[in-house]
Amino acid sequence: IERTGGYVAIGFSENGGMRGSDVVYFTSTPSSLPSEDGSESLTTNTNVLVDGHILDFLGKPIPDRRQDWSLISQSVTTDGYIIFEAKRSLTAQNDPFDRPLIDDSSAYVPDHKIIGAWGTSRGNMMYHGHNRVKTSIQLFHSSSNSTGGNL
């Protein structure tokens, strides 16, 4: 299988769209290296995790001055799916573009608005086209809403 590389981006948005969102994206770019005996080509990946933001435009996220996300694990499946796990502090760490992730377990606090995009490209994040998603999700669990283990 020829892998062309690609990216996965996840954003936290106040309005549910790209503008003003706090984004983390992961890119994986394969490159082929000849084996020592020259009989085959070995594929390695250049992987990059970027903490970024989008201002008042629709385009590639701008990298934050302070990179607050840490890559925990990553993989690219044989059929080209990019999977990554990363972490960041829940609070904004002196970066005006980092959106704090507040406790939304109360019925009075709205769920977090999440956006996502993905695409294939070699070394450069390109327009995602229809490869995008947006939703709202509750990130924190309320123990007061517990059903005692029963649904």
Side-chain angles (χ1 to χ4, degrees):
I1 293 175
E2 168 88 24
R3 289 199 325 248
T4 61
Y7 67 91
V8 177
I10 300 168
F12 301 91
S13 171
E14 186 173 309
N15 61 20
M18 285 178 61
R19 290 183 172 102
S21 63
D22 181 11
V23 177
V24 60
Y25 64 92
F26 177 81
T27 61
S28 182
T29 306
S31 58
S32 296
L33 302 171
S35 63
E36 288 183 19
D37 65 3
S39 63
E40 61 184 79
S41 183
L42 304 173
T43 300
T44 62
N45 284 347
T46 301
N47 301 311
V48 179
L49 182 72
V50 178
D51 181 5
H53 61 278
I54 299 173
L55 296 175
D56 193 20
F57 67 96
L58 300 176
K60 182 178 177 181
I62 300 167
D64 289 354
R65 287 191 181 120
R66 180 182 167 123
Q67 295 294 299
D68 295 317
W69 285 89
S70 299
L71 185 63
I72 296 171
S73 66
Q74 57 80 28
S75 65
V76 178
T77 63
T78 56
D79 52 353
Y81 288 98
I82 297 171
I83 301 167
F84 79 96
E85 180 180 3
K87 68 179 182 175
R88 187 201 89 174
S89 172
L90 296 176
T91 60
Q93 299 292 315
N94 297 322
D95 187 329
F97 300 111
D98 282 346
R99 185 172 304 287
L101 302 176
I102 59 171
D103 184 345
D104 59 357
S105 61
S106 167
Y108 301 106
V109 178
D111 293 346
H112 289 83
K113 293 179 181 172
I114 308 291
I115 59 172
W118 60 95
T120 58
S121 59
R122 187 178 285 276
N124 191 14
M125 181 184 274
M126 304 296 281
Y127 176 59
H128 53 68
H130 294 292
N131 297 336
R132 64 182 182 232
V133 64
K134 66 179 180 175
T135 191
S136 294
I137 188 169
Q138 183 179 11
L139 296 177
F140 295 84
H141 174 71
S142 172
S143 58
S144 65
N145 292 338
S146 177
T147 59
N150 300 315
L151 295 177

